[in-house]
Amino acid sequence: MIIKNARYELTAVKPGQYPAGNMPEVAFVGRSNVGKSSFINTMLNRKNLARVGATPGKTREINFYNLDERVYFVDLPGYGYAKVSKTKKLSWDDVVETYLYSRMQLKLIIMLVDIRHSPSEDDRVMYEWLKGNSISSIVVASKADKISRNQLKARLLDIKSALGIEGEAMPIPFSSETKQGKEEVWSVIDKIILEGDSNAVNNQELR
């Protein structure tokens, strides 16, 4: 997919504020410091379209980005930041869950995990939800430039095992610095959005 015009559309916290219409959506989930904003900017060849929050875990809104009036990229609030109060955590969980359960336009969920670390309990809960849902999803291992090539396979296998990714599927290694994995992720998005492949779920039939 060649994107000529990517722009910020709006910010929402409840369904009445979501964009109108039936344009398909690709949503991004992950821990607060996993690099979702950098991932989105890299995918769209932009430097500051998606802005990195000054304080991890602070943002509780959903940001929608319009790509050529063809598809929305949807940046969901990050989870798992230790300094967040229980009250705020619950409110953020509600924002995310409401979107995931109610948004009919959602066609693909991209879950980001940090390749340097084993998935957290929050990551495992998120992936279990993805496995039990009918929405297509993939796992992307961000910050691949932060490890050596010799470490890559072991780190991907660790993530695969910790999340319980089945079959031969593996997380896609990704780097915002080197652009590693960018074309592979776009091929998945093209497959789901352009071809309407609703049977490709949880990496299994996408790799």
Side-chain angles (χ1 to χ4, degrees), residues 81-177:
Y81 191 61
K83 293 183 180 180
V84 172
S85 69
K86 290 184 178 180
T87 300
K88 287 187 176 181
K89 184 179 186 300
L90 289 173
S91 68
W92 296 345
D93 287 347
D94 183 62
V95 169
V96 173
E97 289 180 2
T98 297
Y99 172 83
L100 292 176
Y101 280 111
S102 68
R103 193 61 169 164
M104 298 300 295
Q105 292 89 335
L106 178 57
K107 304 302 180 184
L108 173 66
I109 300 173
I110 297 179
M111 178 180 172
L112 275 72
V113 296
D114 190 327
I115 199 169
R116 299 171 297 177
H117 310 296
S118 296
S120 67
E121 179 61 25
D122 288 320
D123 289 324
R124 291 191 287 271
V125 169
M126 184 75 249
Y127 189 72
E128 283 300 312
W129 186 90
L130 294 178
K131 287 199 298 184
N133 196 280
S134 60
I135 301 170
S136 297
S137 63
I138 58 171
V139 175
V140 171
S142 66
K143 306 183 182 183
D145 56 288
K146 304 298 184 182
I147 63 172
S148 69
R149 289 188 177 182
N150 291 336
Q151 294 174 298
L152 182 64
K153 184 175 181 180
R155 293 304 317 133
L156 294 176
L157 287 172
D158 174 70
I159 294 168
K160 174 183 172 74
S161 175
L163 293 179
I165 298 176
E166 299 173 352
E168 298 181 358
M170 293 285 285
I172 299 173
F174 187 92
S175 168
S176 294
E177 295 294 326

Side-chain angles (χ1 to χ4, degrees), residues 18-129:
Y18 300 163
N22 296 311
M23 206 153 71
E25 296 175 2
V26 177
F28 304 92
V29 298
R31 289 175 59 83
S32 298
N33 57 352
V34 77
K36 288 192 284 92
S37 296
S38 297
F39 175 86
I40 292 172
N41 288 331
T42 300
M43 292 294 294
L44 300 178
N45 293 321
R46 298 284 291 273
K47 290 185 178 180
N48 298 304
L49 181 63
R51 296 184 178 180
V52 179
T55 303
K58 185 176 181 180
T59 303
R60 62 179 295 270
E61 298 88 4
I62 301 173
N63 291 316
F64 291 80
Y65 300 93
N66 187 320
L67 282 53
D68 285 339
E69 303 292 340
R70 299 171 68 189
V71 59
Y72 283 114
F73 270 11
V74 184
D75 187 9
L76 297 175
Y79 54 76
Y81 191 61
K83 293 183 180 180
V84 172
S85 69
K86 290 184 178 180
T87 300
K88 287 187 176 181
K89 184 179 186 300
L90 289 173
S91 68
W92 296 345
D93 287 347
D94 183 62
V95 169
V96 173
E97 289 180 2
T98 297
Y99 172 83
L100 292 176
Y101 280 111
S102 68
R103 193 61 169 164
M104 298 300 295
Q105 292 89 335
L106 178 57
K107 304 302 180 184
L108 173 66
I109 300 173
I110 297 179
M111 178 180 172
L112 275 72
V113 296
D114 190 327
I115 199 169
R116 299 171 297 177
H117 310 296
S118 296
S120 67
E121 179 61 25
D122 288 320
D123 289 324
R124 291 191 287 271
V125 169
M126 184 75 249
Y127 189 72
E128 283 300 312
W129 186 90

